[in-house]
Amino acid sequence: MAQEKETSGPALIAGLGGGLLGATLTALLMAKPAAAAPPEDKLDYILECLTLLVPALAELAESNVQLNASLQQWLAAQGVEPGVEVSIKTAWKAKEPEEIYSEPIRSVGTFDSYLMVPWIEGKRFLLKVESSLNQAVNVQVIGNHVDNFNTAVNINAVIPCPANSNISTGLAWDDWHPFIGVRLTTAIAPTAGILSIWAVVQE
């Protein structure tokens, strides 16, 4: 096991260090592994390491300065002002669908979803309604700046969901509220079926 460490260590450092620094460390470790040096030679070995590493570290620092300068030039060419924070773009990814309502409605009235879904960091929002009720239901998307149904406001117009049908609606940036819920209303009491709602947030 010890022999494996001595042979793999230099190769790993050469791959990670790069340039003069990687070559210097590799040469030192292959020629005189620290653990194998006699006690009387350890101080000389350490001094030798420092003598070789100082120029290598200086070269690495200079390389970082050049890399930073090149990056700044590229950003300027892209029209990015100095001091502006630059972020890395990643692919948008949808969360798993979350069931926020599922009930066999049998009365006339207004019904709220079980919860308001956090959309604080989301980009898009999808609501999918599946109804096997034998009467139509009106679906109103609502939003709020806090997790509260009582002070929520309507987002866009009411969407009718006919009997035994499936509908969906998507929300985009202009519809953004930190919390999203659904309010259902029935004009005629259903006598059969169930209505379920799923929410999907894309971040």
Side-chain angles (χ1 to χ4, degrees):
M1 184 65 69
Q3 182 63 31
E4 291 178 359
K5 290 183 179 178
E6 290 180 9
T7 56
S8 61
L12 178 61
I13 292 175
L16 294 177
L20 179 58
L21 179 59
T24 299
L25 290 175
T26 301
L28 287 172
L29 290 174
M30 293 182 68
K32 290 183 178 180
E40 62 272 13
D41 292 341
K42 285 191 182 291
L43 181 58
D44 292 338
Y45 175 74
I46 293 173
L47 291 174
E48 182 181 352
C49 286
L50 292 175
T51 301
L52 293 172
L53 285 176
V54 168
L57 291 172
E59 180 185 278
L60 182 62
E62 176 63 24
S63 175
N64 287 339
V65 170
Q66 293 175 358
L67 178 62
N68 183 61
S70 298
L71 178 60
Q72 293 301 323
Q73 291 175 0
W74 182 84
L75 290 174
Q78 305 305 311
V80 179
E81 296 294 331
V84 174
E85 182 178 349
V86 178
S87 59
I88 299 175
K89 293 182 179 180
T90 57
W92 292 2
K93 183 177 181 181
K95 292 185 175 181
E96 290 295 319
E98 179 179 11
E99 187 176 71
I100 62 172
Y101 189 83
S102 185
E103 294 290 340
I105 300 173
R106 295 292 183 269
S107 62
V108 173
T110 301
F111 312 91
D112 289 340
S113 54
Y114 300 148
L115 53 85
M116 298 197 78
V117 181
W119 195 24
I120 297 171
E121 297 181 358
K123 293 182 174 70
R124 291 178 177 173
F125 193 104
L126 173 71
L127 286 167
K128 175 67 184 304
V129 180
E130 296 183 0
S131 176
S132 60
L133 299 176
N134 59 358
Q135 296 294 337
V137 176
N138 284 331
V139 179
Q140 176 65 65
V141 182
I142 58 176
N144 207 340
H145 69 294
V146 293
D147 187 0
N148 188 310
F149 279 96
N150 295 331
T151 57
V153 296
N154 294 342
I155 300 176
N156 301 325
V158 168
I159 305 170
C161 180
N164 293 298
S165 63
N166 303 321
I167 64 170
S168 66
T169 183
L171 303 181
W173 292 301
D174 291 343
D175 303 316
W176 182 81
H177 286 68
F179 294 90
I180 301 294
V182 177
R183 183 159 287 153
L184 308 169
T185 56
T186 55
I188 302 175
T191 57
I194 188 172
L195 184 141
S196 300
I197 306 174
W198 285 267
V200 182
V201 176
Q202 187 182 56
E203 294 185 340

